Amino acid sequence: MDPNAQRTEAVVVRAGIYTAHVSLPAWHKGAITITAPTSVLCVVTGRTRAELPGASLTVAVCLDAVLDTDLHPHDWAGPRVLPPEASAEGSPPR
């Protein structure tokens, strides 16, 4: 594990049979996509390949990477779930 890894948002742009293209808004403003195994993203999100585009996830990466090969994405997870009190109607965000 990279000690510089940080958990960040990831959004699926396109999902092929084996490889998906994912944008990381916190890295180069999401302009460059990285690849991830489609099967892993399907398991993490509980979606089919056809349902993946637009899915939001989190992933641990090295955000100070210059090249996409230096990001070392790992520990893919579903979107962060807000605690019930934060998602209750009328509650201010924390």
Side-chain angles (χ1 to χ4, degrees):
M1 290 270 195
D2 186 340
N4 296 325
Q6 299 174 33
R7 182 153 297 281
T8 190
E9 179 187 13
V11 179
V12 180
V13 175
R14 183 174 26 214
I17 295 172
Y18 303 107
T19 305
H21 292 268
V22 181
S23 172
L24 304 174
W27 187 70
H28 292 284
K29 299 181 182 177
I32 301 171
T33 62
I34 63 169
T35 59
T38 300
S39 59
V40 170
L41 301 185
C42 286
V43 169
V44 168
T45 62
R47 296 182 181 198
T48 65
R49 179 175 64 92
E51 297 170 327
L52 278 178
S56 179
L57 306 112
T58 62
V59 64
V61 295
C62 184
L63 287 174
D64 60 356
V66 175
L67 303 173
D68 62 336
T69 53
D70 296 331
L71 284 166
H72 305 292
H74 61 280
D75 195 23
W76 293 92
R80 292 186 177 142
V81 178
L82 293 173
E85 62 274 7
S87 60
E89 192 174 331
S91 295
R94 293 181 189 203

